[in-house]
Amino acid sequence: VPGILTPDPRLVPQAQLMSDITCDEMLELASLGAKVLHPRAVEIAKNYGVPLVVRSSWTEDPGTRVTSPIPIPRPLERLELVRPVDRVELDTDQAKVALLRVPDCPGVAAKLFGEIGDRDLDVDLIIQSIHDGNTNDIAFSVSRSSAARAESVAEAIAPTLGRVEEVEQTAEVLVERQIAKISVVGAGMIGRPGVAAQMFAALGKAGVNIDMISTSEVKLSCAINAADGDRAVAALCEIFEVNSSPIPAPEEKPPELAFSCPAVRGVALDPNQARLAIRQVPDRSGMAAQFFQTLAENNISVDMIIQSQRCRIVNEQPTRDIAFTVARADARTARDILTPLVKEVESQEIVVDTAIAKVSVVGARMLGQPGIAAKMFASLADRQINIQMITTSEIKISCVVSEADGIKALQAVHEAFELSGSQEVRVPA
């Protein structure tokens, strides 16, 4: 290939060559199925400020420049074993709005976030959990100053989303204004199964319960009670041996490109994932850590992690569902490993679905631009593609769809963001 392209040119021949891309954007794309660069190569470039250019072996074309931030001083010895987390961040300007029992059908997320985008509301985290019967839960976070407007939009749109017969009521809106987002950040988290487990274990040991989870290749975030913020920061700084740092280092970017880049830089499809769902997990601190520590000990990497918003009372104890994705080749092993633990903690069951695909959009300038999520969801709804799960970070939005809809979803999203080039790119066999 001539460099880094907006999607895989084997699936979308109109893929466009990017002249530059940030390390964080490339880390996301590389881990999402882009085959051009290995994620660890990008990690080394980011951590040590190494100039990185991706070019074709067969031409003199300039290719794509992968831009690095100003590196944090670190020793060169044993660079392949560099610690995975560089900093801990706490954002206390967060409020959560959740819609429970929305219909599980195409167009619901597009309608909701279309209205939110029309009101110019900037959304941070978006989480859609696995379906329960014919319904789903969708939760999102906004700044506290925007919470009242976001609640009004949710309350107004909930009755229009439709009624599910067995539920016999419209979606319920819940708002939580006293939350904070705690995050661990670092390029070295890729391919290291223990990072999520360490984070959840540290929070559980500190008595901090997790409300929402958002995963990314460079950041792992959890929504928690705002009162637990300082305790959470202290626990994570200790376990990862870092100092808290609320202001990330800026990515270097050529001045002429600083304002010309689109919000969405690339689109990726990962058809090789499977989803595991653990039903009715006791809702108490430390539970998620047990599952993910067990997987980490068996060297199984986890990608998306989503905890349901809906709470069920089972034997007088609140419970929630936890769903996550792993490589399809690891699905059966993960199920067999976790089955004894599922029984031990008295969860209901573990369900495996291997017929899924994950489509994602990536862009460092998505934050602060309302409507990006709505456009992605609308493009899928227009093709009658149902979204099974949603998770986001500052620079990525990922949706799980059925395996049969994977390529169609990739093409729809690529078209929606007008990422096509003027020429077709052909990749030699």
Side-chain angles (χ1 to χ4, degrees):
V1 292
I4 307 301
L5 298 154
T6 47
D8 186 335
R10 292 166 296 185
L11 302 178
V12 183
Q14 296 78 26
Q16 182 177 1
L17 176 69
M18 288 181 270
S19 60
D20 78 300
I21 188 170
T22 67
C23 276
D24 283 351
E25 290 170 326
M26 190 64 241
L27 281 168
E28 296 287 2
L29 289 173
S31 64
L32 291 169
K35 302 296 193 296
V36 180
L37 282 176
H38 193 288
R40 292 300 300 277
V42 189
E43 176 190 336
I44 296 294
K46 177 180 171 69
N47 284 339
Y48 294 93
V50 179
L52 180 57
V53 178
V54 183
R55 300 173 59 179
S56 170
S57 301
W58 315 110
T59 73
E60 296 298 323
D61 295 339
T64 303
R65 176 188 172 203
V66 183
T67 63
S68 302
I70 300 171
I72 299 171
R74 63 183 83 216
L76 288 173
E77 292 80 9
R78 301 184 58 160
L79 62 83
E80 74 280 6
L81 299 176
V82 67
R83 65 187 182 196
V85 173
D86 285 329
R87 62 182 183 271
V88 176
E89 297 176 357
L90 179 67
D91 182 356
T92 57
D93 186 23
Q94 295 268 313
K96 182 188 75 175
V97 179
L99 284 84
L100 309 184
R101 294 181 293 275
V102 300
D104 183 34
C105 60
V108 170
K111 190 172 185 179
L112 170 61
F113 290 99
E115 288 290 332
I116 289 172
D118 289 344
R119 304 293 180 89
D120 206 32
L121 286 168
D122 194 19
V123 175
D124 187 358
L125 303 180
I126 302 174
I127 301 294
Q128 178 179 304
S129 58
I130 54 173
H131 66 86
D132 187 352
N134 291 324
T135 67
N136 250 322
D137 302 336
I138 299 178
F140 59 94
S141 66
V142 295
S143 65
R144 289 187 183 178
S145 61
S146 301
R149 285 195 297 148
E151 181 181 11
S152 298
V153 173
E155 291 281 7
I157 202 171
T160 72
L161 296 177
R163 183 187 298 268
V164 180
E165 291 184 4
E166 64 263 32
V167 178
E168 296 185 350
Q169 66 184 64
T170 56
E172 177 185 359
V173 178
L174 299 178
V175 180
E176 174 58 63
R177 289 177 169 81
Q178 299 301 316
I179 69 167
K181 182 176 72 173
I182 184 77
S183 306
V184 295
V185 185
M189 295 194 292
I190 295 175
R192 294 175 172 86
V195 176
Q198 280 183 284
M199 181 180 190
F200 300 154
L203 294 177
K205 185 178 179 181
V208 178
N209 202 29
I210 298 171
D211 188 24
M212 298 168 67
I213 300 170
S214 169
T215 57
S216 161
E217 294 306 325
V218 293
K219 178 179 283 191
L220 179 59
S221 300
C222 296
I224 60 174
N225 190 300
D228 295 332
D230 291 343
R231 192 161 71 252
V233 169
L236 295 180
C237 285
E238 179 180 357
I239 194 71
F240 290 113
E241 300 179 352
V242 297
N243 295 320
S244 61
S245 174
I247 304 175
E251 295 275 344
E252 289 184 349
K253 201 167 191 60
E256 68 274 11
L257 297 170
F259 299 102
S260 61
C261 293
V264 172
R265 305 299 311 284
V267 182
L269 175 69
D270 187 346
N272 299 311
Q273 292 209 331
R275 178 180 61 221
L276 286 81
I278 307 174
R279 299 285 190 178
Q280 298 180 7
V281 179
D283 185 26
R284 57 176 181 264
S285 58
M287 292 305 301
Q290 292 187 50
F291 295 117
F292 296 109
Q293 184 63 46
T294 301
L295 293 173
E297 290 169 355
N298 288 273
N299 204 34
I300 294 178
S301 292
V302 177
D303 185 12
M304 297 173 69
I305 304 173
I306 297 178
Q307 180 173 268
S308 70
Q309 293 299 300
R310 203 177 318 182
C311 189
R312 292 182 178 274
I313 304 299
V314 179
N315 297 326
E316 300 183 351
Q317 179 173 253
T319 67
R320 297 182 190 271
D321 298 337
I322 296 179
F324 56 93
T325 60
V326 298
R328 190 172 295 177
D330 291 334
R332 181 176 297 180
T333 302
R335 181 197 61 193
D336 294 344
I337 289 169
L338 292 178
T339 295
L341 182 57
V342 168
K343 294 178 179 178
E344 181 183 327
V345 301
E346 299 181 347
S347 296
Q348 183 188 54
E349 62 179 341
I350 182 168
V351 182
V352 179
D353 184 357
T354 58
I356 65 165
K358 182 178 72 172
V359 62
S360 306
V361 298
V362 173
R365 295 185 62 237
M366 293 197 301
L367 190 63
Q369 295 201 38
I372 299 297
K375 181 180 287 190
M376 180 180 184
F377 302 154
S379 70
L380 298 177
D382 289 344
R383 303 286 183 97
Q384 289 299 298
I385 298 172
N386 194 34
I387 299 173
Q388 300 181 18
M389 294 167 65
I390 302 170
T391 186
T392 68
S393 70
E394 284 90 340
I395 67 171
K396 179 182 73 173
I397 303 171
S398 293
C399 297
V400 168
V401 300
S402 71
E403 182 182 19
D405 288 332
I407 294 177
K408 184 168 64 171
L410 176 75
Q411 294 169 342
V413 174
H414 189 263
E415 180 181 336
F417 288 101
E418 301 177 353
L419 297 176
S420 295
S422 57
Q423 296 180 338
E424 289 193 1
V425 178
R426 297 191 181 276
V427 180

